[in-house]
Amino acid sequence: MTTSFALALHTTTTKLELAIAEINQNSDRNSQIYTIHKQQSWELGRELSVQLHGCLNMFVGDIPWSDFAFLAIATGIGSFTGTRIGIVVARTLGEQLNIPVYGINCEEIIARSQQFQPNLSLGESLLAIAYDQWQDGIYPSWQNALPLYEA
């Protein structure tokens, strides 16, 4: 059995939300077990841009970056600065790790979170949507993660 991880970043509000899923794949490669490894949020307000990297580093901990299979990022609609910063971080990590980056809009994330009782956190919902796409064989380039802004 091999283990890989997936990371979700939700930066479109004043609250930073991160989630990591553990993906265990059996040797037959036909069955995978997806579980939330951990999730956390921080109310950072205008400090999100200053504290994002420190929170991310602490949150990932001792998981090797090479063990991540994909990243998921909330693309907006939300805070202009928070959205841009999150997308730049996700795209940079995706490019350097050569892994897919799934950009998911906030309306889809919220709809997914409300489908479950109790509601999933935004980070958990973001991971679940990206995991479904990853399972379906959709592997977007990090270049495809683009921010959404209000008109």
Side-chain angles (χ1 to χ4, degrees):
M1 182 180 295
T2 60
T3 301
S4 59
F5 296 91
L7 173 66
L9 299 96
H10 195 289
T11 62
T12 64
T13 67
T14 60
K15 183 187 287 187
L16 169 64
E17 294 195 44
L18 302 174
I20 293 177
E22 186 173 330
I23 305 164
N24 292 307
Q25 188 164 356
N26 290 334
S27 57
D28 65 7
R29 302 186 70 68
N30 290 327
S31 66
Q32 293 182 343
I33 302 167
Y34 162 88
T35 55
I36 296 297
H37 180 66
K38 62 180 172 176
Q39 65 96 23
Q40 188 171 348
S41 62
W42 296 263
E43 181 59 53
L44 298 176
R46 293 185 173 267
E47 291 294 307
L48 190 140
S49 63
V50 175
Q51 298 195 29
L52 172 62
H53 291 91
C55 291
L56 182 59
N57 185 46
M58 178 186 66
F59 185 73
V60 170
D62 61 356
I63 300 171
W65 285 103
S66 59
D67 286 354
F68 283 91
F70 66 87
L71 301 170
I73 181 68
T75 59
I77 296 175
S79 160
F80 177 84
T81 303
T83 301
R84 291 290 294 181
I85 290 168
I87 288 178
V88 167
V89 168
R91 286 175 57 136
T92 302
L93 288 170
E95 177 188 23
Q96 294 303 305
L97 298 170
N98 196 29
I99 59 175
V101 176
Y102 296 91
I104 313 293
N105 73 60
C106 289
E107 289 179 0
E108 191 175 349
I109 296 166
I110 292 168
R112 180 67 169 256
S113 73
Q114 294 173 348
Q115 290 177 348
F116 296 92
Q117 291 297 335
N119 291 349
L120 295 176
S121 74
L122 296 178
E124 291 170 324
S125 298
L126 179 54
L127 266 179
I129 294 165
Y131 179 74
D132 289 347
Q133 292 180 20
W134 187 68
Q135 283 290 94
D136 290 343
I138 301 167
Y139 302 114
S141 167
W142 57 269
Q143 297 167 324
N144 295 340
L146 300 171
L148 300 175
Y149 303 118
E150 290 183 276

